[in-house]
Amino acid sequence: MLPQADVEIVARDVALPGLRFVLDAGALTKELRMAPMIPLYLRYKPGTSCVAALAAPDGSRVVAVMAYTRAHYMEVRNRREWREGPDPAVFHDDACLVVVPLARDRKLKGARLITNAEDSGDFLKNLVGDETGASRLLRYKAGRRLVVQIGDVRPRALVKAYSKSNFPAALEGARIAQMLGGAPVLGLSTRRHCLAWPWLAGTPLCPEEGGRSGPAEWRAAGQALALIHQASPRPQATITRADELAALAALATDLPQLSADLTHRATPLIEAVAAGLVRTPFQPCLIHGDFSADQVLVHEGRATIIDWDRAATGDPARDIGSLLARLDVQALDGAELAGLAEIFRDCYAGAGGPATEGLEFQHARALLALTNEGFRQRRPDWSDRAARLLARVADILGMEKITPGKPMLPEKPMLNDARDPAMMAPLLKEILPSDILALEVDLLRHKPGRRALLRYRINTADGFLRVLGKLRAKGADKRTPTLHAALRARGLDGSAPFCVGIPAVRGSIAAPALWLQDEVAGQPLTDLLRPGADIVPAARTGAALARLHKANVPAGRSWTMADELDVLTRALTAARAALPEQGARIDTIARAATEIVQRSGPIRPTGIHRDFYPDQVLIDAERVWLLDFDLYANGDPTIDVANFLAHLDEDGLRNHGDATALSAHGAAFLEGYEDVNPGTDRSRITALRFVSLARHINLSRVIAGRGHVTLALINHCTTYAAKCPANRSAVTRW
């Protein structure tokens, strides 16, 4: 079923009678009695045409679906190359629609020779230079580009087929990359517009590609881009300010065809970016032209930048702005990337990278260019996603948000002030008991447009202090400091007899809008959870959580089972959109989770942490510190218990290949909890544990370093879901 935003587009664009089928793969395959297909790519020109690339879930068949106006359809209806020979195109006259097999893509002359097993052998052997083995489709943009991996199990080469118009720039970019130490060109066919490279070893920098990169890898990437921007080649393709302004104008033209609301939000932002670019000079140099983390491989400490199809002469800030915009999108999906962009930029500058004046405008420009990406990817939440990207553009530019009633505080000046020792020293002096002799500031975590966590290392006349500051873009947080004080008043101050602590509040600052708490000592519980390790810290953590629940300090908000289900539904919807080949199994998991939540009866609410897992716990000898109460609410205490246990399951799968690897710690945690707060409903814990673990499917996809566990999570949750029929009153134990 089409989302409402798509329904409105179809209703407006009466010139394309087949548009609804191109936007809805399920409706298309049902209409034409085809096997199920999943969307790969979409290109839409309102009132003119719409082209989608679709593939069978197992990749065995790939097609392009093309919707035309009635006049244009009559022109293409009789094309001999689509009608004659084996596996012809399929025509739908009423909808003015054509389904074209990949091998018959008119603009990709190499498509048939690459993908057809009977025809590809000699061609690929000549291109790659050796026995080729099986191939696997990686990308297909109908009429523009095809990307194939040669060697299914052990990749050997990468082959790309281009349209005639795109091939010269791709060839020039490939030769420049080779000149600069990138992948050498294995072979090329100017007749078929194809290029081949050896398969490069390395770890992707991008979290969406399963990357496990840290600061060292991001430093290497920054240095690599700096060297490229200082290199001598100048591609024939150029990207001028006029080109960038034309692209912004095209976006302003296209958006009204998708959403009037998005147009209202985007128009002042587009105008501001255009004005900023016009007044920002730059020194043209070699640029990648499409730079982001997924274009970087790191191997043995060296970063290699790949995919030079859009290499050009242009503004170096454009490449960095493109990277920052993609990081914003990944952060929107939940990836924890705090500090990595700053590491990249520092190393870029340290390696002699050119000045990037006006970077905020290139950052905003690249984000604006991504507003339609969710629509092209066929994400059901594309309209909401686009609105959130536009809000981030407003953040970057320091403009007011378009959303009525939600004024935006420019985050960038706030964060800069909070990180400036000269700015913060007199403000901290007002709330600390003694004079400040020296001050250093560390940025620990940063969620762009939302919040940041900073550490203030303060040398005072009375000794050394370490204080944490929590900065919030939407204004000062008055609720959480009050909550800390109330919990400590109930005995959770770290002292005997409970030995359970909530950090003490040091005070608040109005501008920048942050509040401060003591940084407490202790070892993260996460570091203590290993198979065969001491289980006592887990037991103490269980008891500490029970003390929190028994304190029952009321919150000003509630968290219901409906809220829990809503979070899971959005997470699995995003996972399904990103992993269409796993769609059926994700749907099974979603149905089981919905049944579990709907069957869960009411329970007496108490104050709950609402985001309780090992990273929120520090162990300091006999003392247990509980951290991060930003989400504290009135709710079902089972949610906290189940969430903690689900994190142990995920940790076991991710780090040890076995969901039960930390089961001894989980049992100790539960026993410690029940010693203080007996009478728990074990079946309810098990059920909500599954619901919590199912959320990790999408988290694993967007958090750097976790991509390798996604399939294991789907397998694990699918097995459990199979044991949860709707008519069953009890939940099977894991």
Side-chain angles (χ1 to χ4, degrees), residues 559-570 572 588-603 636 638-639 642 683-695 720 724-726 728-731:
W559 186 259
T560 67
M561 283 299 172
D563 295 321
E564 194 78 1
L565 182 59
D566 180 61
V567 169
L568 176 64
T569 300
R570 284 188 277 116
L572 292 183
T588 298
I589 295 166
R591 285 193 297 270
T594 301
E595 292 163 4
I596 285 171
V597 172
Q598 291 175 344
R599 292 201 311 271
S600 299
I603 195 168
D636 181 352
T638 313
I639 291 173
S683 65
R684 189 181 184 93
I685 291 173
T686 301
L688 294 184
R689 182 177 180 176
F690 162 71
V691 173
S692 181
L693 187 62
R695 280 201 305 271
Y720 181 77
C724 293
R728 201 162 174 175
S729 59
V731 179

Side-chain angles (χ1 to χ4, degrees), residues 22 38-44 50-55 63 65 139-145 375-378:
V22 185
I38 56 177
L40 303 176
Y41 169 75
L42 182 78
R43 185 169 69 250
Y44 176 43
C50 188
V51 180
L54 305 177
V63 300
V65 184
R139 301 280 189 276
Y140 175 46
K141 293 186 176 182
R144 294 191 175 183
R145 190 175 67 161
F375 175 76
R376 293 194 300 269
Q377 293 174 341
R378 300 289 63 233

Side-chain angles (χ1 to χ4, degrees), residues 68 71-80 82-83 91 98 106:
Y68 295 102
H72 194 181
Y73 178 76
M74 296 310 297
E75 294 177 15
V76 305
R77 182 68 173 80
N78 296 316
R79 283 178 179 167
R80 293 178 59 186
W82 283 356
R83 300 187 63 84
F91 295 83
V98 187
R106 299 172 66 243

Side-chain angles (χ1 to χ4, degrees), residues 298-336:
V298 182
H299 182 59
E300 298 180 347
R302 178 178 180 270
T304 300
I305 298 176
I306 61 175
D307 198 358
W308 286 70
D309 295 349
R310 299 185 186 178
T313 301
D315 182 355
R318 183 181 176 93
D319 277 345
I320 300 180
S322 176
L323 171 75
L324 297 178
R326 181 58 65 184
L327 288 180
D328 282 340
V329 172
Q330 291 161 354
L332 181 66
D333 288 334
E336 293 289 347

Side-chain angles (χ1 to χ4, degrees), residues 207 333 567-568 570-579 582-583 585-590 593 646 650 653 689-703 706-719 721:
D333 288 334
V567 169
L568 176 64
R570 284 188 277 116
L572 292 183
T573 298
R576 195 189 193 290
L579 304 167
Q582 299 294 334
R585 296 207 294 164
I586 291 173
D587 287 346
T588 298
I589 295 166
E650 188 276 339
L653 282 171
R689 182 177 180 176
F690 162 71
V691 173
S692 181
L693 187 62
R695 280 201 305 271
H696 283 272
I697 293 171
N698 193 56
L699 290 174
S700 71
R701 186 182 64 80
V702 298
I703 296 178
R706 298 194 183 186
H708 65 290
V709 79
T710 303
L711 185 58
L713 285 166
I714 293 173
N715 291 339
H716 190 74
C717 290
T718 301
T719 299

Side-chain angles (χ1 to χ4, degrees), residues 655-668:
N655 294 315
H656 309 290
D658 181 1
T660 66
L662 302 179
S663 58
H665 297 278

